[in-house]
Amino acid sequence: MPLARSLSVTSLSGLEEWDEEFDLEDAVLFEIAWEVANKVGGIYTVIQTKARLTAEEWGENYFLVGPYVESNVRTQVELIEPTNPTLRRTIDKMNASGCKVYFGRWLIEGSPYVVLIDVAFTAWSLDRWKAELWDLCDIGVPWFDREANDAVLFGFLTAWLLGEEPPHIVAHFHEWLAGLGLVLCRHRQLPIATIFTTHATLLGRYLCAGNVDFYNNLAEFNVDKEAGDRQIYHRYCLERAAAHCAHVFTTVSQITAIEAEHLLKRKPDIVTPNGLNVKKFQAVHEFQNLHAQSKNRIQEFVRGHFYGNLDFNLDKCLFLFIAGRYEFSNKGADIFLEALARLNYLLRVNHSDVTVIAFFIMPARTNNFNVETLKGQAVRKQLWDTAQTVKERFGKKLYESLLVGQLPDVSKILDKEDFTIMKRAIFATQRQCQPPICTHNMLEDSSDPILNCVRRIGLFNSSADRVKIIFHPEFLSSTSPLLPMDYEEFVRGCHLGVFPSYYEPWGYTPAECTVMGIPSVSTNLSGFGCFMEEHIADPSAYGIYILDRRYRGVDESCNQLTSFLFQFCKQSRRQRIIQRNRTERLSDLLDWRYLGRYYIAARHMALAKAFPETYLYEPHDPTSTTGFRYPRPASVPPSPALSRHSSPHHSEAEDNEEDERYDEDLEAEKDRVNIRQPHTLGFKNKNTLICTVTGGFS
């Protein structure tokens, strides 16, 4: 179901620099979102990571607008007096009228200005504003929906704030919670260029959560009935109104653009993919060293978790993981578990010496750590302390023997006491049960989807199984007594991230894997997967495995995922290193320095539509040029069928000096050269301005 493009949306051609003569001194950019300095979900990451680039572009004329949450402000925001005289007068006027509006700097990269509105302080106006909303738009908000009530308060206060500002304002609204402010700005005919971005449609989330055959029935849904049946009709109306009122409507991916066209009944003007702040290393081996260090820390945890059953070689152990919100089907945990069961069978019948440990990092309701899990880490530490004690005693005797010029008698260096200590330590590792699946005590153990699926497929971490499962129902933290690692460090230590999502408008988890040089599995129903398929000739050769969940049934998709995992298990250590190098090279594709240009394009488009007497937009024909595609690496043969899915080609020569026939550095340089292909996307200002996007990465 292709989406016809009226603009060059995600045809990433590099977008090197804007040759921009437009004077931004008189223009002001407001970016409005409920997640400004208020972490709720992925939009927080989008705004936080993009802030530095936007602040560099707009300088003192860039302001983020969000809700005042005292607990967040105490730790994230430095409150100061407004620096902009007009904005200072506006805030003073609002505060004098019974509002509470704060101004400060958000303490993140770029230190952007933030305007924080205390919506609870103006709750006395809620009934009046809800009545006005009904009169203006025929949208009624029920009294019991607190989130929607907050959206009404936030929307009216945002419109009040923007209405006091001078012309040449660009206001960018994110998601339905901020969308009412946009609707009011257009209704009041304020001189503001408006942009609305939906990161995921409300109705889409609810439909997918209900196990509906979503993508095959997009064109068939009665959207009003579906929203009404789920008691979110008022929210849906706010979102749809914002999408239709905006000068420019954007989504974060092509797959979400198709969804928005059918559910919100407006085709997006441009796709604005989500990026990250990429930290580049001076040498390739640096991120490989970080992988080795983090992997060692995970191995220490595994030694404790599987004490008494550590009958597998940790050097031939692969760490896989899935992480995110606990949406069992939407995030693909169901298909991942089924694929792991099939992978376990393949590894056993092929007598593989590889062991796979799959981590599920998904927060659920628990009441504490599992006692058996904590005991495992205590036993591991005790064994380490015992080994250190014996080593010190052994070392002292060896030292004294060498001092007198004698070779040590090994039978005398370890005495009976040493053997007694070691035997006692060995007996302490004996275990009467299998290693636990879950690291915590679950409050709803009998109805938990992951645990019930594990019971069904029979993967209980037994010695005979080549696939082990660890369910960690809590976000990772460096202060945890169990697995003291933060998320970034944990990801770096794993070998493969697996995210077979059914509903994923973008997908920050595989993107984060990519910039850290960790291969990942994504799907063609995720924004990230579609983006990578469009811009890489052979994604799997670069460690980006794209699972087909759009045109295949569940069983077929599961078999494909099993094939990906089995082929990955057959790679040699050197092949995995080469693949990680290639994966890390893709980080340029996800850097805000490049993807931020789509936001620039959206802002210029909005200015051209809002102020046509000043700005002229010239439509771009997307068929006239093609976006950049990373070529297939020269060292990898063309992708065959699934049974031999593309990956660094395996041969006996891979493990000897003949590997050096192919220079990986030369391949990397070819990628950098190939990506500098020209491509332009133009805007004109009637005052002789020409704003051009020129293709190519620098």
Side-chain angles (χ1 to χ4, degrees):
M1 190 186 300
L3 175 67
R5 304 185 204 170
S6 57
L7 300 169
S8 181
V9 279
T10 60
S11 183
L12 183 64
S13 55
L15 302 182
E16 186 176 278
E17 291 182 6
W18 282 84
D19 177 15
E20 186 175 335
E21 299 176 20
F22 171 48
D23 187 0
L24 293 177
E25 288 185 8
D26 296 328
V28 180
L29 171 63
F30 285 90
E31 197 157 1
I32 303 99
W34 189 257
E35 296 197 34
V36 170
N38 177 39
K39 186 169 185 177
V40 178
I43 302 171
Y44 175 91
T45 304
V46 175
I47 294 169
Q48 181 201 37
T49 55
K50 184 172 63 67
R52 183 184 65 178
L53 180 78
T54 314
E56 289 174 358
E57 179 195 354
W58 287 80
E60 299 289 300
N61 292 346
Y62 175 49
F63 303 95
L64 288 158
V65 181
Y68 177 85
V69 181
E70 187 174 355
S71 58
N72 294 333
V73 170
R74 281 201 301 264
T75 57
Q76 298 184 43
V77 178
E78 176 191 7
L79 296 177
I80 59 175
E81 286 296 315
T83 54
N84 184 298
T86 307
L87 187 58
R88 185 189 303 118
R89 287 194 298 271
T90 301
I91 291 176
D92 290 343
K93 183 177 178 180
M94 292 180 68
N95 287 337
S97 301
C99 305
K100 267 196 176 179
V101 183
Y102 300 83
F103 185 86
R105 280 194 181 276
W106 192 2
L107 302 179
I108 58 174
E109 284 191 79
S111 300
Y113 290 126
V114 289
V115 179
L116 302 176
I117 302 171
D118 190 340
V119 296
F121 196 76
T122 51
W124 50 271
S125 299
L126 180 60
D127 289 339
R128 175 166 58 88
W129 285 342
K130 285 167 74 171
E132 185 178 342
L133 176 62
W134 174 257
D135 292 337
L136 294 177
C137 309
D138 291 335
I139 298 175
V141 177
W143 62 270
F144 54 82
D145 189 342
R146 181 174 178 179
E147 200 170 15
N149 288 333
D150 286 344
V152 171
L153 292 168
F154 188 55
F156 273 88
L157 289 166
T158 300
W160 186 353
L161 175 76
L162 297 177
E164 300 288 340
E165 290 297 304
H168 286 291
I169 290 178
V170 180
H172 192 152
F173 298 81
H174 294 266
E175 285 293 289
W176 73 274
L177 277 163
L180 179 56
L182 185 154
V183 176
L184 293 171
C185 287
R186 294 305 307 277
H187 184 270
R188 296 171 184 177
Q189 298 183 346
L190 300 179
I192 298 173
T194 57
I195 305 168
F196 181 68
T197 296
T198 180
H199 296 256
T201 68
L202 266 172
L203 190 53
R205 280 198 185 281
Y206 275 84
L207 287 169
C208 286
N211 292 322
V212 171
D213 186 4
F214 183 64
Y215 293 98
N216 287 325
N217 293 288
L218 263 178
E220 311 300 327
F221 288 122
N222 182 335
V223 291
D224 295 311
K225 180 182 183 299
E226 296 291 351
D229 289 346
R230 289 158 179 78
Q231 299 184 18
I232 58 163
Y233 188 64
H234 54 289
R235 296 185 180 195
Y236 168 75
C237 288
L238 290 173
E239 181 181 40
R240 183 166 168 175
H244 282 267
C245 289
H247 290 104
V248 172
F249 174 45
T250 84
T251 62
V252 297
S253 64
Q254 282 289 350
I255 197 72
T256 314
I258 297 170
E259 174 187 339
E261 184 179 4
H262 286 93
L263 300 186
L264 298 180
K265 308 302 181 184
R266 179 176 177 182
K267 182 163 59 177
D269 298 291
I270 186 170
V271 169
T272 50
N274 291 336
L276 287 163
N277 285 332
V278 178
K279 298 176 182 176
K280 299 295 287 184
F281 295 100
Q282 295 300 315
V284 169
H285 67 267
E286 290 185 54
F287 84 90
Q288 295 282 9
N289 289 342
L290 287 174
H291 165 74
Q293 294 166 15
S294 298
K295 183 180 71 174
N296 289 338
R297 297 195 62 183
I298 297 175
Q299 286 177 338
E300 282 301 295
F301 167 79
V302 169
R303 288 186 177 101
H305 192 82
F306 289 92
Y307 83 92
N309 294 78
L310 201 63
D311 51 2
F312 51 88
N313 186 351
L314 276 175
D315 290 332
K316 294 189 176 181
C317 187
L318 299 179
F319 300 137
L320 279 55
F321 82 99
I322 182 173
R325 284 189 307 274
Y326 197 172
E327 297 177 6
F328 184 65
S329 297
N330 278 358
K331 295 298 182 184
D334 53 351
I335 196 173
F336 184 29
L337 281 165
E338 183 63 39
L340 287 174
R342 299 180 187 187
L343 175 66
N344 183 57
Y345 172 79
L346 288 175
L347 292 175
R348 289 176 64 176
V349 299
N350 286 278
H351 306 290
S352 173
D353 58 356
V354 172
T355 300
V356 171
I357 298 181
F359 290 86
F360 288 74
I361 314 295
M362 292 179 151
R365 296 179 62 204
T366 66
N367 61 15
N368 215 328
F369 292 109
N370 186 311
V371 172
E372 187 64 24
T373 306
L374 287 173
K375 180 183 175 184
Q377 300 308 313
V379 169
R380 177 192 62 77
K381 189 176 185 308
Q382 183 183 15
L383 283 173
W384 174 260
D385 292 341
T386 299
Q388 293 301 106
T389 301
V390 174
K391 185 176 78 172
E392 288 178 10
R393 291 161 62 94
F394 180 94
K396 185 176 180 182
K397 292 175 183 177
L398 176 63
Y399 172 65
E400 290 174 349
S401 176
L402 294 175
L403 276 177
V404 297
Q406 296 180 354
L407 288 174
D409 186 346
V410 178
S411 62
K412 293 181 180 179
I413 286 184
L414 291 175
D415 55 28
K416 285 186 177 181
E417 185 178 353
D418 294 325
F419 280 104
T420 300
I421 293 173
M422 290 188 290
K423 286 178 181 178
R424 195 162 56 218
I426 292 172
F427 290 160
T429 64
Q430 294 181 2
R431 196 176 207 163
Q432 305 304 318
C433 61
Q434 290 177 344
I437 298 291
C438 189
T439 58
H440 292 60
N441 295 322
M442 301 289 290
L443 287 178
E444 298 167 348
D445 183 288
S446 62
S447 60
D448 183 79
I450 287 179
L451 295 182
N452 280 339
C453 188
V454 168
R455 294 177 185 120
R456 180 179 62 81
I457 61 179
L459 285 180
F460 298 119
N461 292 344
S462 68
S463 297
D465 289 328
R466 296 266 52 84
V467 174
K468 321 286 186 181
I469 293 176
I470 299 176
F471 179 23
H472 189 281
E474 192 177 78
F475 284 127
L476 297 170
S477 169
S478 57
T479 60
S480 169
L482 195 63
L483 184 56
M485 303 176 73
D486 59 30
Y487 178 72
E488 180 179 336
E489 188 180 8
F490 174 79
V491 172
R492 285 194 183 278
C494 290
H495 296 91
L496 182 70
V498 184
F499 313 104
S501 304
Y502 182 74
Y503 185 77
E504 191 71 79
W506 176 246
Y508 258 123
T509 41
E512 288 165 338
C513 285
T514 302
V515 300
M516 288 187 266
I518 303 301
S520 64
V521 176
S522 188
T523 76
N524 59 359
L525 290 181
S526 74
F528 173 85
C530 294
F531 181 84
M532 286 303 194
E533 270 192 323
E534 186 175 356
H535 299 110
I536 307 174
D538 187 2
S540 58
Y542 284 89
I544 308 295
Y545 298 91
I546 310 296
L547 186 65
D548 184 2
R549 294 204 64 181
R550 188 171 179 187
Y551 302 108
R552 296 176 185 238
V554 175
D555 190 61
E556 283 183 290
S557 297
C558 190
N559 284 334
Q560 186 186 21
L561 177 57
T562 305
S563 175
F564 286 164
L565 300 180
F566 187 54
Q567 294 301 322
F568 188 82
C569 290
K570 293 200 294 186
Q571 289 185 18
S572 67
R573 180 174 177 272
R574 175 169 176 78
Q575 287 173 310
R576 292 197 301 271
I577 290 173
I578 292 173
Q579 191 175 58
R580 281 198 296 273
N581 288 340
R582 292 177 185 158
T583 303
E584 196 272 342
R585 288 209 301 273
L586 298 180
S587 58
D588 280 344
L589 278 174
L590 303 169
D591 196 332
W592 272 125
R593 288 180 300 146
Y594 311 115
L595 295 185
R597 271 49 179 180
Y598 289 111
Y599 277 83
I600 296 175
R603 291 193 284 268
H604 278 266
M605 210 177 298
L607 284 168
K609 289 186 177 183
F611 309 110
E613 72 285 353
T614 308
Y615 306 99
L616 174 66
Y617 168 68
E618 291 188 347
H620 172 70
D621 179 10
T623 62
S624 63
T625 56
T626 57
F628 172 78
R629 283 173 66 85
Y630 268 82
R632 179 180 291 110
S635 61
V636 182
S639 299
L642 273 179
S643 59
R644 293 184 57 209
H645 194 82
S646 173
S647 58
H649 183 59
H650 180 72
S651 68
E652 294 299 323
E654 289 281 340
D655 299 318
N656 60 40
E657 291 183 356
E658 291 183 24
D659 293 322
E660 302 304 322
R661 70 187 183 277
Y662 182 76
D663 188 342
E664 190 70 16
D665 291 335
L666 178 60
E667 181 183 285
E669 182 58 30
K670 286 180 179 178
D671 279 351
R672 286 191 288 270
V673 170
N674 284 330
I675 204 167
R676 298 192 186 102
Q677 301 301 320
H679 176 67
T680 60
L681 173 63
F683 298 88
K684 289 186 180 180
N685 183 307
K686 286 186 177 177
N687 300 328
T688 71
L689 158 68
I690 297 181
C691 307
T692 306
V693 187
T694 304
F697 284 126
S698 55

PDB file of all heavy atoms in Angstrom, residues 175-190:
ATOM      1  N   GLU A 175       2.024  15.724  18.903  1.00  0.00           N
ATOM      2  CA  GLU A 175       1.017  14.823  19.451  1.00  0.00           C
ATOM      3  C   GLU A 175      -0.266  15.518  19.896  1.00  0.00           C
ATOM      4  O   GLU A 175      -0.329  16.728  20.042  1.00  0.00           O
ATOM      5  CB  GLU A 175       1.597  13.998  20.611  1.00  0.00           C
ATOM      6  CG  GLU A 175       2.524  12.890  20.159  1.00  0.00           C
ATOM      7  CD  GLU A 175       1.804  11.786  19.385  1.00  0.00           C
ATOM      8  OE1 GLU A 175       1.043  11.012  19.964  1.00  0.00           O
ATOM      9  OE2 GLU A 175       2.018  11.718  18.161  1.00  0.00           O
ATOM     10  N   TRP A 176      -1.291  14.731  20.148  1.00  0.00           N
ATOM     11  CA  TRP A 176      -2.636  15.249  20.414  1.00  0.00           C
ATOM     12  C   TRP A 176      -2.708  16.047  21.703  1.00  0.00           C
ATOM     13  O   TRP A 176      -3.519  16.961  21.830  1.00  0.00           O
ATOM     14  CB  TRP A 176      -3.639  14.096  20.442  1.00  0.00           C
ATOM     15  CG  TRP A 176      -3.539  13.238  21.680  1.00  0.00           C
ATOM     16  CD1 TRP A 176      -2.707  12.179  21.882  1.00  0.00           C
ATOM     17  CD2 TRP A 176      -4.318  13.380  22.871  1.00  0.00           C
ATOM     18  NE1 TRP A 176      -2.892  11.646  23.123  1.00  0.00           N
ATOM     19  CE2 TRP A 176      -3.889  12.366  23.759  1.00  0.00           C
ATOM     20  CE3 TRP A 176      -5.321  14.254  23.287  1.00  0.00           C
ATOM     21  CZ2 TRP A 176      -4.437  12.205  25.031  1.00  0.00           C
ATOM     22  CZ3 TRP A 176      -5.867  14.094  24.552  1.00  0.00           C
ATOM     23  CH2 TRP A 176      -5.440  13.085  25.417  1.00  0.00           C
ATOM     24  N   LEU A 177      -1.857  15.722  22.690  1.00  0.00           N
ATOM     25  CA  LEU A 177      -1.898  16.447  23.964  1.00  0.00           C
ATOM     26  C   LEU A 177      -1.582  17.925  23.788  1.00  0.00           C
ATOM     27  O   LEU A 177      -2.026  18.761  24.578  1.00  0.00           O
ATOM     28  CB  LEU A 177      -0.920  15.808  24.957  1.00  0.00           C
ATOM     29  CG  LEU A 177      -1.443  14.583  25.712  1.00  0.00           C
ATOM     30  CD1 LEU A 177      -0.295  13.807  26.332  1.00  0.00           C
ATOM     31  CD2 LEU A 177      -2.450  14.993  26.772  1.00  0.00           C
ATOM     32  N   ALA A 178      -0.798  18.262  22.776  1.00  0.00           N
ATOM     33  CA  ALA A 178      -0.473  19.662  22.517  1.00  0.00           C
ATOM     34  C   ALA A 178      -1.288  20.233  21.356  1.00  0.00           C
ATOM     35  O   ALA A 178      -1.243  21.440  21.099  1.00  0.00           O
ATOM     36  CB  ALA A 178       1.022  19.802  22.207  1.00  0.00           C
ATOM     37  N   GLY A 179      -2.053  19.377  20.670  1.00  0.00           N
ATOM     38  CA  GLY A 179      -2.685  19.783  19.419  1.00  0.00           C
ATOM     39  C   GLY A 179      -3.756  20.846  19.536  1.00  0.00           C
ATOM     40  O   GLY A 179      -3.984  21.610  18.587  1.00  0.00           O
ATOM     41  N   LEU A 180      -4.456  20.922  20.689  1.00  0.00           N
ATOM     42  CA  LEU A 180      -5.537  21.896  20.806  1.00  0.00           C
ATOM     43  C   LEU A 180      -5.021  23.326  20.667  1.00  0.00           C
ATOM     44  O   LEU A 180      -5.715  24.195  20.118  1.00  0.00           O
ATOM     45  CB  LEU A 180      -6.270  21.721  22.143  1.00  0.00           C
ATOM     46  CG  LEU A 180      -7.419  22.693  22.401  1.00  0.00           C
ATOM     47  CD1 LEU A 180      -8.452  22.640  21.283  1.00  0.00           C
ATOM     48  CD2 LEU A 180      -8.069  22.425  23.749  1.00  0.00           C
ATOM     49  N   GLY A 181      -3.817  23.575  21.148  1.00  0.00           N
ATOM     50  CA  GLY A 181      -3.231  24.913  21.003  1.00  0.00           C
ATOM     51  C   GLY A 181      -3.138  25.322  19.544  1.00  0.00           C
ATOM     52  O   GLY A 181      -3.394  26.479  19.185  1.00  0.00           O
ATOM     53  N   LEU A 182      -2.801  24.370  18.680  1.00  0.00           N
ATOM     54  CA  LEU A 182      -2.717  24.653  17.243  1.00  0.00           C
ATOM     55  C   LEU A 182      -4.103  24.994  16.688  1.00  0.00           C
ATOM     56  O   LEU A 182      -4.264  25.957  15.921  1.00  0.00           O
ATOM     57  CB  LEU A 182      -2.127  23.436  16.529  1.00  0.00           C
ATOM     58  CG  LEU A 182      -1.833  23.553  15.029  1.00  0.00           C
ATOM     59  CD1 LEU A 182      -0.722  22.577  14.647  1.00  0.00           C
ATOM     60  CD2 LEU A 182      -3.055  23.276  14.163  1.00  0.00           C
ATOM     61  N   VAL A 183      -5.111  24.200  17.065  1.00  0.00           N
ATOM     62  CA  VAL A 183      -6.471  24.432  16.574  1.00  0.00           C
ATOM     63  C   VAL A 183      -6.948  25.832  16.955  1.00  0.00           C
ATOM     64  O   VAL A 183      -7.532  26.563  16.136  1.00  0.00           O
ATOM     65  CB  VAL A 183      -7.430  23.359  17.132  1.00  0.00           C
ATOM     66  CG1 VAL A 183      -8.864  23.646  16.706  1.00  0.00           C
ATOM     67  CG2 VAL A 183      -7.010  21.963  16.671  1.00  0.00           C
ATOM     68  N   LEU A 184      -6.672  26.241  18.191  1.00  0.00           N
ATOM     69  CA  LEU A 184      -7.101  27.562  18.662  1.00  0.00           C
ATOM     70  C   LEU A 184      -6.348  28.675  17.940  1.00  0.00           C
ATOM     71  O   LEU A 184      -6.926  29.723  17.626  1.00  0.00           O
ATOM     72  CB  LEU A 184      -6.889  27.665  20.175  1.00  0.00           C
ATOM     73  CG  LEU A 184      -7.783  26.743  21.025  1.00  0.00           C
ATOM     74  CD1 LEU A 184      -7.336  26.768  22.479  1.00  0.00           C
ATOM     75  CD2 LEU A 184      -9.247  27.154  20.909  1.00  0.00           C
ATOM     76  N   CYS A 185      -5.057  28.465  17.675  1.00  0.00           N
ATOM     77  CA  CYS A 185      -4.282  29.477  16.938  1.00  0.00           C
ATOM     78  C   CYS A 185      -4.867  29.706  15.555  1.00  0.00           C
ATOM     79  O   CYS A 185      -4.987  30.857  15.095  1.00  0.00           O
ATOM     80  CB  CYS A 185      -2.818  29.038  16.814  1.00  0.00           C
ATOM     81  SG  CYS A 185      -1.870  29.150  18.344  1.00  0.00           S
ATOM     82  N   ARG A 186      -5.263  28.634  14.869  1.00  0.00           N
ATOM     83  CA  ARG A 186      -5.835  28.787  13.533  1.00  0.00           C
ATOM     84  C   ARG A 186      -7.229  29.410  13.604  1.00  0.00           C
ATOM     85  O   ARG A 186      -7.588  30.242  12.764  1.00  0.00           O
ATOM     86  CB  ARG A 186      -5.900  27.431  12.812  1.00  0.00           C
ATOM     87  CG  ARG A 186      -4.553  26.812  12.483  1.00  0.00           C
ATOM     88  CD  ARG A 186      -3.637  27.737  11.667  1.00  0.00           C
ATOM     89  NE  ARG A 186      -4.261  28.263  10.467  1.00  0.00           N
ATOM     90  CZ  ARG A 186      -4.343  27.623   9.302  1.00  0.00           C
ATOM     91  NH1 ARG A 186      -3.828  26.410   9.184  1.00  0.00           N
ATOM     92  NH2 ARG A 186      -4.910  28.181   8.261  1.00  0.00           N
ATOM     93  N   HIS A 187      -8.028  28.997  14.610  1.00  0.00           N
ATOM     94  CA  HIS A 187      -9.373  29.553  14.726  1.00  0.00           C
ATOM     95  C   HIS A 187      -9.336  31.054  15.014  1.00  0.00           C
ATOM     96  O   HIS A 187     -10.167  31.816  14.502  1.00  0.00           O
ATOM     97  CB  HIS A 187     -10.156  28.830  15.819  1.00  0.00           C
ATOM     98  CG  HIS A 187     -11.579  29.290  15.941  1.00  0.00           C
ATOM     99  ND1 HIS A 187     -11.953  30.336  16.766  1.00  0.00           N
ATOM    100  CD2 HIS A 187     -12.712  28.867  15.318  1.00  0.00           C
ATOM    101  CE1 HIS A 187     -13.258  30.535  16.648  1.00  0.00           C
ATOM    102  NE2 HIS A 187     -13.747  29.646  15.787  1.00  0.00           N
ATOM    103  N   ARG A 188      -8.358  31.474  15.803  1.00  0.00           N
ATOM    104  CA  ARG A 188      -8.234  32.896  16.145  1.00  0.00           C
ATOM    105  C   ARG A 188      -7.467  33.669  15.076  1.00  0.00           C
ATOM    106  O   ARG A 188      -7.204  34.866  15.235  1.00  0.00           O
ATOM    107  CB  ARG A 188      -7.542  33.032  17.501  1.00  0.00           C
ATOM    108  CG  ARG A 188      -8.361  32.438  18.647  1.00  0.00           C
ATOM    109  CD  ARG A 188      -7.579  32.392  19.947  1.00  0.00           C
ATOM    110  NE  ARG A 188      -8.365  31.730  20.998  1.00  0.00           N
ATOM    111  CZ  ARG A 188      -7.921  31.490  22.227  1.00  0.00           C
ATOM    112  NH1 ARG A 188      -6.684  31.852  22.558  1.00  0.00           N
ATOM    113  NH2 ARG A 188      -8.691  30.886  23.112  1.00  0.00           N
ATOM    114  N   GLN A 189      -7.053  32.959  14.021  1.00  0.00           N
ATOM    115  CA  GLN A 189      -6.364  33.570  12.885  1.00  0.00           C
ATOM    116  C   GLN A 189      -5.106  34.332  13.323  1.00  0.00           C
ATOM    117  O   GLN A 189      -4.838  35.436  12.865  1.00  0.00           O
ATOM    118  CB  GLN A 189      -7.322  34.499  12.124  1.00  0.00           C
ATOM    119  CG  GLN A 189      -8.516  33.768  11.545  1.00  0.00           C
ATOM    120  CD  GLN A 189      -9.436  34.660  10.738  1.00  0.00           C
ATOM    121  OE1 GLN A 189      -9.334  35.889  10.803  1.00  0.00           O
ATOM    122  NE2 GLN A 189     -10.326  34.053   9.965  1.00  0.00           N
ATOM    123  N   LEU A 190      -4.351  33.704  14.220  1.00  0.00           N
ATOM    124  CA  LEU A 190      -3.090  34.306  14.667  1.00  0.00           C
ATOM    125  C   LEU A 190      -2.049  34.185  13.550  1.00  0.00           C
ATOM    126  O   LEU A 190      -2.032  33.186  12.817  1.00  0.00           O
ATOM    127  CB  LEU A 190      -2.587  33.604  15.930  1.00  0.00           C
ATOM    128  CG  LEU A 190      -3.521  33.645  17.148  1.00  0.00           C
ATOM    129  CD1 LEU A 190      -2.907  32.881  18.311  1.00  0.00           C
ATOM    130  CD2 LEU A 190      -3.809  35.080  17.567  1.00  0.00           C
TER     131      LEU A 190
END
